[in-house]
Amino acid sequence: MRILILTHSFNSLTQRLHAELARDGHALSVEFDIRDSVAEEAVALFAPDVVLAPFLKRAIPESIWSRHLCLVVHPGIVGDRGPSALDWAVAEGEAEWGVTLLQANAEMDAGDIWASRRFPMRAATKASLYRREVTEAALACVREALAQVPAWRDGAWRPTPLAEAAGQGRERPLMRQTDRAIDWARDDTATVLAKIRAADGFPGVADRLFGEACHLFDAHPGPAGITGEPGACVARRDGAILRVTVDGSVWIGHARRVEGEQAFKLPATEAFAEQAAALPERPVALMREDGEYGELRYRESEDGRVGTLEFAFYNGAMGTAQCRRLRAAIDAVAARPTRVLVLSGGPEFWSNGIHLNRIEAADSAADESWDNINAMDDVCEALIRLTDRVTVAALRGNAGAGGCFLALAADLVWAHPGVVLNPHYKNMGNLFGSEYWTYLLPRRLPAEMAARVMADRLPLVAPRAREIGLIDACFGGNAAGFETALADRAAALADDPDLASRLQAKAARRATDEAERPLAAYREDELARMRRNFYGFDPSYHVARYHFVSKTPQSWTPRHLARHRELGWADRKEAAA
Ligand code: COA
C-alpha cells in the first residue's frame, strides 16, 4: 500500500513505524504537520491508500479525512480521549494501559476504532512507556488495521464506532502544571517519583530549585534516613541533586530553567552550577547492588567470567565529563579477570552521541564540541584496544549518530527487535562524525552499503541492521525478553571452548589493522573534518544544534523523508499506476 505518514515530527514511534512498514513492503512517504495546505498538497502528490498519523498535536483537516482513509494512533485505552492520555495513566498509577487506532473524523479521538491493544504498566517515565509499550502496541494495531483495509474497501468489514465499543476510558482534559505540582511538605517519595515520571520527557514538573523557577525531570529514589526540610537540596552525584522528601529522598537528574538563555534541559548540577557546587558530593561505588542511583554500575556473573558495565545516561546524551567517567570505568573493569565484558547502555537509549544540550550551554560551543568528541573518541578507542576479552555492546534501547558507532567499537553488537538505530550524522547540520566510524563501519558493511546507510539518513530497525551485517544478533522479542536472554548468551560466550583462539585472532587482527593504518590516523582525519564543522565558516552544525536543543517547530519536511516531493515522483507514480 501507499502510506503517507502525517506527523508532528519524526519521533521514535514514527521512525519505528516507518522502518517496519517499509520492511513489510509498503511504499512510504512522510509529511510534517505544518499547515493544512501543506498536508493537502502532500496528499495530492502522493495519492496514498492510507494516511497514518502516529503523532499529531492537532486534528487532521476535513479536506483530507473526508476523502482519504486516515488512521490516528491514540496512546490510550478504548474510550480514552484527550491530549494527556499517558500522563494521566502514569500519574494515577493505572495497572494496565493501551493504544487505540482510530479513523479520523470531525471529533478529536472519537472516530471509529480499527484496532486496540492493552499492556501492563511499568514503574517508568512517560517517555519510556511511549518508546516501548506504546510503540509495540501501536505497531501491532497498525499492522492489524492495514490487513483490514481491502475488506473495508469491499464493504466486508467495518470498524467499531466508539459508541458501540466496550471501552473503559473516558475523556480527560489536558494535564496542567497545577495537576502535576509537588507538595514537598506532604508528598512521599513514591508520589514525587510518580509525578515527575508522568511529566518526563515533557513538560517536566514546574517547581523551584534554590529559589528559582524550573521544571524537574529524571527522578530516582534516593537513600533513606536523609534528614532535612522536605524539598531541601542536600547532595550531588553524577549531575543529579539529592532532595529531601517527607519519608526519604529523591535524586533529580535534570532540570530546565524557565527563563534565561539556558531554558533547556540540563543536568541539574549544570542548570544550577553555582549553587550545586556548594553541595557535598555523595560518591557511589562502581560495583554495587542494584537500587542505588548512579549513571555507571558494574557487576559480575557469579562465576566471575562475565562483567557488565551499565551506563545509563539520560536521553543517551554523553557529555565530556560523562565520557571521561565511562572511560575511567572501562579502564578499571579491564583490570578484572573476566572473559566477556558486556557494555549495557541505558534502558532507554544505548547512546545518542555527544551531549548537544551541554554543548549549547557552554561558553564556547565549538570548544565544548571539540572536547566532547575527543572524550567520546577516547571511550571508543579504549574499547577497540581491549583485546584480552570479548566485548559486547548490548543495546537495550535505541542508538543514534555517534552512539551507534560507539556500539560498533565492541566486538559484537546485540539488540532486541524493537531497537531503532540511526547510524548517520548528517541530520545534525551535515556533521562529518568521528568515533572511528571510518574504521569501524567498513569492517561491517561493504562500501556501497556503508555509503547508502550514511547518506539515506533513515532509521533502521534491529532486524534490518542484522540482515545487512551492521549488528550481529537480534533476539529476545522485546526489551524485557532481551535482558533475560542476554545473561545466558554472554555466559555461553564466556564458556565457548574456542574463546582462546577467538581472542588470539582478535589481537592479531588489531595488530594487522594498526600496522596497515594506525587508529590515530583515522581519528586525525575524522577530527580534521569535525574541526571544520565546529570552527569553520559554515555554521550549519551550530544552527542545527540550536534548533534541536530549542525544539524549534519544524517548518518543512526533509526531502529524504518526503519522497512525494522528489523530482520525477509524479511521473513514476503515474507509470506505476
Ligand atoms: N544530546 C542531547 N540531547 C539529546 C541527544 C544528544 N545527542 N540526542 C537526543 N537527545 C534528547 C532529545 O532532545 C530528546 O529530549 P527530550 O527528553 O527533551 O524530549 C530526547 O533525547 C529524546 O530524543 P528524540 O529526538 O525525541 O528521540 P527520537 O527517538 O525521536 O530520535 C535521534 C532519536 C537519535 C534520531 C535524535 O534524538 C537525534 O537526532 N539526536 C541527535 C543525535 C546527534 O546528532 N548526536 C550528535 C552527533 S554524535
Side-chain angles (χ1 to χ4, degrees):
M1 266 182 253
R2 203 144 58 200
I3 302 170
L4 179 70
I5 298 184
L6 181 64
T7 185
H8 177 75
S9 71
F10 201 48
N11 72 345
S12 55
L13 168 61
T14 313
Q15 291 174 30
R16 176 88 189 275
L17 289 173
H18 186 278
E20 296 276 5
L21 297 180
R23 268 171 74 71
D24 291 349
H26 299 292
L28 293 152
S29 194
V30 179
E31 187 69 55
F32 289 161
D33 181 33
I34 294 157
R35 257 201 327 269
D36 287 357
S37 60
V38 176
E40 284 161 4
E41 188 182 70
V43 169
L45 281 169
F46 197 57
D49 299 304
V50 179
V51 175
L52 180 61
F55 172 47
L56 279 187
K57 294 204 170 176
R58 50 182 214 126
I60 297 176
E62 185 177 353
S63 57
I64 296 181
W65 64 253
S66 60
R67 282 183 224 134
H68 297 268
L69 172 59
C70 297
L71 298 176
V72 181
V73 175
H74 177 70
I77 54 173
V78 171
D80 179 84
R81 295 176 60 189
S84 304
L86 208 43
D87 307 55
W88 288 114
V90 177
E92 296 186 345
E94 297 285 356
E96 228 192 27
W97 200 239
V99 167
T100 311
L101 191 70
L102 306 143
Q103 183 170 349
N105 65 7
E107 243 186 308
M108 195 86 168
D109 302 335
D112 293 351
I113 296 161
W114 277 67
S116 66
R117 287 288 185 283
R118 290 181 80 107
F119 52 78
M121 289 284 265
R122 256 181 318 128
T125 63
K126 174 177 69 162
S128 172
L129 291 158
Y130 184 81
R131 283 190 201 104
R132 288 203 210 167
E133 284 83 350
V134 168
T135 298
E136 293 294 338
L139 177 61
C141 286
V142 168
R143 283 201 168 120
E144 181 186 314
L146 292 179
Q148 297 288 15
V149 170
W152 174 76
R153 289 213 191 286
D154 295 346
W157 181 87
R158 70 172 187 111
T160 312
L162 182 60
E164 288 175 23
Q168 287 150 1
R170 61 196 163 107
E171 184 158 10
R172 315 264 350 221
L174 174 78
M175 190 182 270
R176 302 193 180 278
Q177 282 299 342
T178 44
D179 302 311
R180 302 184 190 271
I182 295 170
D183 181 349
W184 290 95
R186 279 173 185 218
D187 290 345
D188 60 10
T189 303
T191 308
V192 173
L193 288 171
K195 285 182 173 176
I196 298 179
R197 283 174 179 158
D200 207 344
F202 178 83
V205 173
D207 201 79
R208 299 184 89 76
L209 271 173
F210 307 103
E212 291 184 50
C214 65
H215 287 211
L216 307 179
F217 305 87
D218 186 23
H220 306 268
I226 302 285
T227 50
E229 198 180 320
C233 300
V234 292
R236 66 191 159 86
R237 170 188 298 164
D238 291 357
I241 290 176
L242 186 65
R243 292 185 82 173
V244 182
T245 59
V246 286
D247 60 342
S249 61
V250 287
W251 288 103
I252 305 294
H254 280 71
R256 174 167 62 78
R257 279 176 177 270
V258 169
E259 284 173 354
E261 278 179 12
Q262 297 190 356
F264 48 81
K265 242 184 235 182
L266 284 170
T269 57
E270 209 158 303
F272 293 91
E274 247 173 62
Q275 300 92 325
L279 295 175
E281 176 81 31
R282 198 180 164 100
V284 67
L286 181 61
M287 205 163 170
R288 63 179 186 277
E289 290 302 311
D290 199 5
E292 165 115 46
Y293 169 74
E295 287 182 322
L296 300 172
R297 187 166 85 96
Y298 178 70
R299 62 197 150 83
E300 283 178 2
S301 58
E302 261 171 37
D303 62 11
R305 287 189 286 193
V306 178
T308 300
L309 181 58
E310 290 172 14
F311 49 101
F313 299 126
Y314 184 70
N315 281 340
M318 295 174 57
T320 308
Q322 287 162 313
C323 290
R324 287 181 184 152
R325 285 205 301 272
L326 178 56
R327 164 71 207 265
I330 292 171
D331 288 350
V333 305
R336 305 281 305 175
T338 55
R339 296 179 179 187
V340 173
L341 175 62
V342 177
L343 294 131
S344 162
E348 307 309 326
F349 289 101
W350 154 265
S351 167
N352 279 327
I354 56 176
H355 201 310
L356 300 168
N357 291 36
R358 297 177 89 158
I359 290 169
E360 193 63 33
D363 290 339
S364 161
D367 288 352
E368 184 52 35
S369 301
W370 182 252
D371 289 348
N372 200 163
I373 197 65
N374 272 286
M376 189 79 181
D377 282 357
D378 289 344
V379 174
C380 295
E381 185 175 345
L383 286 180
I384 296 169
R385 293 197 190 279
L386 198 58
T387 51
D388 67 345
R389 69 202 72 199
V390 181
T391 53
V392 179
L395 275 57
R396 296 190 282 164
N398 299 346
C404 270
F405 298 100
L406 169 65
L408 304 192
D411 301 323
L412 297 169
V413 185
W414 295 346
H416 60 84
V419 166
V420 176
L421 298 138
N422 275 284
H424 46 81
Y425 297 92
K426 285 202 184 314
N427 284 347
M428 197 49 63
N430 254 335
L431 208 56
F432 182 77
S434 191
E435 288 94 6
Y436 297 94
W437 75 265
T438 53
Y439 169 60
L440 298 169
L441 194 58
R443 293 204 312 182
R444 290 181 164 266
L445 300 187
E448 198 194 324
M449 178 63 86
R452 208 161 82 208
V453 163
M454 292 298 266
D456 280 358
R457 297 189 270 158
L458 288 174
L460 293 176
V461 280
R464 174 72 186 141
R466 164 74 194 86
E467 264 165 32
I468 63 173
L470 186 69
I471 68 171
D472 301 284
C474 183
F475 56 86
N478 56 25
F482 179 72
E483 299 219 17
T484 315
L486 181 60
D488 292 343
R489 288 247 182 171
L493 196 57
D495 286 344
D496 183 354
D498 291 335
L499 191 81
S501 56
R502 183 178 192 145
L503 290 174
Q504 260 177 6
K506 173 179 171 178
R509 176 164 185 200
R510 178 81 283 282
T512 315
D513 286 356
E514 188 69 20
E516 246 172 49
R517 187 159 191 245
L519 275 183
Y522 289 97
R523 180 166 173 156
E524 203 181 305
D525 278 1
E526 289 170 8
L527 289 182
R529 304 287 290 269
M530 289 294 258
R531 187 175 270 283
R532 260 184 263 161
N533 289 136
F534 300 156
Y535 295 99
F537 65 88
D538 176 358
S540 301
Y541 155 70
H542 297 291
V543 172
R545 190 196 58 245
Y546 169 80
H547 289 305
F548 180 81
V549 170
S550 319
K551 304 200 182 296
T552 311
Q554 312 280 353
S555 51
W556 55 285
T557 311
R559 283 294 149 89
H560 69 282
L561 298 177
R563 292 197 41 220
H564 52 282
R565 294 188 188 281
E566 275 170 17
L567 283 178
W569 161 258
D571 299 341
R572 286 206 302 279
K573 186 179 73 180
E574 255 162 47

